Amino acid sequence: MKNIVLIGFMGTGKTSTGRLLAGRLNRPFVDVDKKIEKETGLAISDIFQLYGEDHFRQLEREVISRVARYTNTIIATGGGVVLKQENMVRLKNTGIIISLTASLDTILERTSRRGVRPLLDCEDRAERVARLFQERASLYMRADYTIDTSCMPPHQVTEKIIGLLREGGYLRGRSKS
Ligand code: S3P
């Protein structure tokens, strides 16, 4: 079975939804950022601070090249995975891509905890979110399905994804409820 890959901006619910989806479908779950943290022994914010964004993107690319070879797995990516086309080519080869989106207000609220997302640790978070969102909007649209999570908690997004996968003929048999 193909992987199910969640992409989307920071704060759209990729990790929480991915974990729930994996539980519902009884499949393995991998979170790319968590894997990078585990393998380097460093928090993402420390990697940015110590080595810079380019270095993080190289680590991300390397982990993506490995997880894209998995099968049957739910993969939650970091928001910037779309910035490298080769990441998306690899993930698409073996997976169904589901893009999670949300309104800017929702993203700002969900990402308000400081120190976790280095790209948003700045004076004017609203401006930064709006700019990055705008720069990346067309990249997030290159998905098999897109779901607006602004008004949906992760368990509802999970059910929505299961419904879409069923309709698309990607899921057979019963999933746990
Ligand atoms: C990033 C998103 C983060 C993390 C890193 C860079 C981005 O992941 O990979 O801080 O460029 O959008 P989340 O989307 O899980 O917050």
Side-chain angles (χ1 to χ4, degrees):
M1 282 292 274
K2 283 192 146 194
N3 297 320
I4 299 167
V5 182
L6 301 180
I7 66 166
F9 202 80
M10 294 170 264
T12 52
K14 302 178 294 288
T15 300
S16 331
T17 304
R19 195 172 286 123
L20 288 174
L21 189 61
R24 282 280 274 115
L25 299 179
N26 205 12
R27 295 200 197 182
F29 172 63
V30 58
D31 181 278
V32 171
D33 279 353
K34 296 277 180 317
K35 195 167 171 61
I36 294 171
E37 291 187 327
K38 200 168 162 202
E39 290 182 3
T40 58
L42 291 169
I44 299 295
S45 53
D46 292 333
I47 299 174
F48 269 72
Q49 207 183 352
L50 292 169
Y51 304 109
E53 181 174 348
D54 283 355
H55 181 74
F56 171 76
R57 297 295 172 208
Q58 289 309 323
L59 294 173
E60 185 176 48
R61 174 177 160 274
E62 203 273 314
V63 169
I64 292 289
S65 75
R66 276 185 277 138
V67 301
R69 284 187 230 129
Y70 295 179
T71 51
N72 206 34
T73 300
I74 313 300
I75 302 172
T77 60
V81 75
V82 294
L83 297 172
K84 280 198 195 300
Q85 202 194 348
E86 62 175 293
N87 289 341
M88 294 313 294
V89 169
R90 285 184 166 135
L91 291 167
K92 269 180 201 214
N93 274 340
T94 52
I96 302 152
I97 311 287
I98 299 182
S99 181
L100 302 185
T101 185
S103 69
L104 292 183
D105 283 348
T106 307
I107 287 170
L108 268 176
E109 190 195 306
R110 290 187 191 158
T111 57
S112 59
R113 195 151 65 91
R114 298 244 160 199
V116 182
R117 294 184 169 94
L119 291 179
L120 303 184
D121 277 337
C122 60
E123 289 260 307
D124 192 345
R125 289 179 59 250
E127 183 276 332
R128 178 68 60 87
V129 165
R131 183 165 57 76
L132 288 175
F133 195 86
Q134 160 103 39
E135 281 170 11
R136 297 174 177 184
S138 64
L139 301 175
Y140 292 131
M141 275 161 32
R142 296 184 197 157
D144 296 297
Y145 300 101
T146 299
I147 300 171
D148 186 344
T149 70
S150 305
C151 301
M152 274 196 246
H155 75 267
Q156 231 173 304
V157 180
T158 302
E159 296 312 314
K160 174 91 186 159
I161 293 173
I162 290 173
L164 290 170
L165 293 172
R166 273 198 202 298
E167 270 173 37
Y170 294 111
L171 287 184
R172 258 153 283 148
R174 290 168 64 83
S175 46
K176 290 195 287 181
S177 51

